[in-house]
Amino acid sequence: MRPIRRVIACLAACAALFTVSTTAFAAEFESLLAERLSENVSYRQAALSLRQAELRVAQLDEFFVPYASIGFADATRPQNGITYVGGEGGGLQNFQIQPAVRFENVLGASISLGLPMTVRPSPGEEQDAFSVGDPTLSVSRRIFEETEASLLSARAALVRARDAERGAYADARIQLVSEVFEARLALRTLVDTRTRLENAKKLLAVSRDETAARNLTRQILSAERAVVQAERSLRSIDSRVVSNADALHAEVIARFDDWTRSLPTAEAKPDSSATIEAQRLSLAAAEARKSVSFLPYVPNPTLSANLSYDRDQNRLDWRLGLQFSVTILDRGERAVASLERRENATIERLRLDAALESLDRSVTTAWEDLTILELDREIHRIDLEAQRETTKTTQELFGHGFVTNEALTASELALSAAELQLERTENNYRIQQLRVLRFFD
């Protein structure tokens, strides 16, 4: 029983080590991705635009959230600010401040509640240093407010900004995954090329045939060129990716099923997309503006109402106001503005039709590219199996002394090349899966 227990303990320790290692790889991949995102201009710009779009929608939609401010009762009159007068009898003068609460876009109106307060640095005998004035309520609204159209446009911008942020994240992840794949392949290619170079040099040293020597010299030069290219390719990749290529590759492969879990069956098409959803909102906004295309020709008065309560006399005072201006003669600006409202609705509809057609075409092309890569993968898998059989036969012949060591090395290098070709195709297939997945996020 003791040997069995030891085996079980050993297996448990190996499993724990594998789990810790995998977690470390995940942390390394996520750390690299997070760093890439922090340095990615497109992602940071998209994240900023998303925050701005969220704020704009909140400003229009969440009208019940107030603004609170405090300032001088009338900032346009300098005497109501803090003033210091020099000379005899001078000093800090009385001033008024007014805390205010303001609500915006309440059915298109702006509502403000204020409570003026007077501060007297040098109060008289019957005066208080601080006193509270009469509360006031102000309401203002233009007759024709296009709140609905503005909200629809803001929501369209929000959908586009959110999709741009997701797209920038997906692009950064694909780029990092591509670098991991490329680093692993470049490292393996470099090892094979150096082996091929050494093999060619050995054959050239013992060759007595001029034609064979010339061919071997050409192989050496080609291999040296390939070494330089492979080294340059590795230098273009993040050194941390290169130094941890195998670990990062294992982590990417382990995570791929989770990344592509929501990928539907082949040739499936999404019902919609962020681009189409945003375009539909833009069309709705344009239709709303088209319905009032007469606005450029009519005045748009601003109505205002003010309420104040005199606490000393227990009296409520109110005032109504109306402000407007009318254009009698212009140079065609109103006609063009009205035409723009009508034409924009048609233009946005055409854009929606184009977006629907583009989505269908793009998804079809993406699935076709994935199918082509899948077929390439099967072809290269068959080629690999054939090369394995050839290499196995060569190894058996070498064991019986029928082929040289150089011939065996060449066969093994051919096998390695076939393996690399299959891995390269599988990598391209996985990356294409991530691209297809973007249509279904």
Side-chain angles (χ1 to χ4, degrees):
M1 293 297 291
R2 289 182 180 178
I4 295 177
R5 291 178 181 176
R6 290 175 182 174
V7 170
I8 295 175
C10 182
L11 291 175
C14 291
L17 179 60
F18 176 79
T19 303
V20 172
S21 300
T22 303
T23 305
F25 300 157
E28 180 68 17
F29 182 85
E30 293 298 335
S31 176
L32 284 173
L33 181 57
E35 185 175 333
R36 293 287 182 88
L37 292 173
S38 68
E39 298 173 354
N40 190 304
V41 174
S42 298
Y43 179 78
R44 293 182 72 96
Q45 183 62 54
L48 175 60
S49 298
L50 175 58
R51 184 68 188 90
Q52 292 170 334
E54 289 173 341
L55 175 61
R56 179 56 179 160
V57 171
Q59 288 174 330
L60 295 170
D61 206 13
E62 300 176 3
F63 61 87
F64 50 85
V65 179
Y67 293 88
S69 62
I70 185 170
F72 296 111
D74 189 352
T76 63
R77 300 175 61 186
Q79 62 269 30
N80 282 345
I82 300 176
T83 306
Y84 184 88
V85 178
E88 185 177 354
L92 193 61
Q93 304 298 298
N94 299 344
F95 61 91
Q96 281 190 335
I97 58 175
Q98 177 169 289
V101 176
R102 188 178 77 257
F103 295 88
E104 295 289 349
N105 302 307
V106 183
L107 300 178
S110 176
I111 303 174
S112 178
L113 176 63
L115 188 65
M117 301 177 181
T118 302
V119 179
R120 301 180 181 87
S122 302
E125 294 182 356
E126 297 182 357
Q127 291 181 326
D128 296 328
F130 179 84
S131 61
V132 179
D134 298 329
T136 59
L137 176 66
S138 301
V139 181
S140 64
R141 187 190 190 279
R142 292 192 304 176
I143 294 294
F144 301 105
E145 280 288 353
E146 297 180 272
T147 305
E148 179 185 1
S150 298
L151 182 56
L152 288 170
S153 294
R155 286 176 176 167
L158 176 59
V159 172
R160 291 189 178 98
R162 187 177 290 122
D163 183 60
E165 192 265 349
R166 289 176 179 173
Y169 174 87
D171 290 343
R173 185 176 67 175
I174 289 175
Q175 177 62 31
L176 182 55
V177 170
S178 299
E179 286 189 23
V180 171
F181 288 161
E182 183 61 31
R184 176 180 163 87
L185 288 173
L187 287 170
R188 292 187 60 185
T189 301
L190 183 59
V191 171
D192 286 358
T193 304
R194 285 173 175 166
T195 303
R196 189 175 289 107
L197 177 60
E198 293 175 2
N199 193 44
K201 287 181 178 180
K202 290 179 182 179
L203 291 174
L204 179 61
V206 298
S207 176
R208 296 295 180 265
D209 182 81
E210 183 178 349
T211 302
R214 185 167 52 248
N215 291 334
L216 288 170
T217 301
R218 188 181 187 283
Q219 291 179 23
I220 291 171
L221 293 174
S222 298
E224 289 176 343
R225 182 178 183 275
V227 167
V228 174
Q229 288 181 320
E231 290 175 342
R232 182 171 63 181
S233 176
L234 286 171
R235 285 197 302 271
S236 67
I237 302 174
D238 190 332
S239 59
R240 291 167 298 179
V241 174
V242 175
S243 59
N244 297 283
D246 288 336
L248 289 170
H249 182 269
E251 173 57 24
V252 168
I253 299 303
R255 282 170 158 257
F256 228 85
D257 287 342
D258 289 335
W259 290 346
T260 58
R261 192 179 302 279
S262 59
L263 190 66
T265 56
E267 299 183 0
K269 293 184 178 179
D271 297 330
S272 184
S273 69
T275 300
I276 291 176
E277 182 183 351
Q279 191 55 46
R280 283 174 175 156
L281 291 170
S282 294
L283 174 59
E287 292 285 358
R289 292 188 176 95
K290 178 184 177 182
S291 65
V292 287
S293 59
F294 60 85
L295 279 185
Y297 291 103
V298 299
N300 194 358
T302 298
L303 294 175
S304 61
N306 295 84
L307 294 176
S308 62
Y309 180 71
D310 190 329
R311 296 184 303 161
D312 295 334
Q313 300 183 14
N314 193 24
R315 186 182 64 192
L316 180 67
D317 295 326
W318 58 276
R319 183 176 68 232
L320 296 176
L322 177 66
Q323 292 181 337
F324 68 92
S325 63
V326 181
T327 300
I328 304 300
L329 180 65
D330 66 4
R331 298 180 180 179
E333 289 85 354
R334 290 177 297 173
V336 172
S338 179
L339 175 64
E340 181 181 7
R341 288 171 174 265
R342 297 192 301 272
E343 282 299 306
N344 276 345
T346 302
I347 291 170
E348 295 298 337
R349 182 171 296 281
L350 291 173
R351 284 177 175 168
L352 176 59
D353 294 339
L356 288 168
E357 182 180 350
S358 176
L359 176 64
D360 182 75
R361 184 170 56 253
S362 299
V363 173
T364 300
T365 301
W367 278 121
E368 287 174 347
D369 290 342
L370 190 64
T371 301
I372 291 172
L373 288 169
E374 186 175 7
L375 293 173
D376 288 342
R377 185 177 61 176
E378 294 305 316
I379 292 171
H380 293 143
R381 186 171 287 135
I382 293 172
D383 293 341
L384 177 59
E385 290 300 322
Q387 185 58 48
R388 279 176 179 164
E389 292 178 2
T390 300
T391 302
K392 182 179 179 181
T393 301
T394 304
Q395 289 171 342
E396 292 175 352
L397 291 173
F398 175 77
H400 292 86
F402 292 109
V403 297
T404 62
N405 184 61
E406 288 75 13
L408 175 62
T409 302
S411 180
E412 290 175 344
L413 286 172
L415 176 61
S416 179
E419 291 173 345
L420 288 174
Q421 184 60 46
L422 177 59
E423 183 174 337
R424 183 176 289 106
T425 306
E426 288 180 338
N427 292 342
N428 292 335
Y429 180 82
R430 292 188 179 99
I431 291 173
Q432 183 61 24
Q433 281 183 304
L434 294 179
R435 293 195 177 104
V436 172
L437 189 62
R438 279 286 293 129
F439 292 104
F440 300 93
D441 282 347

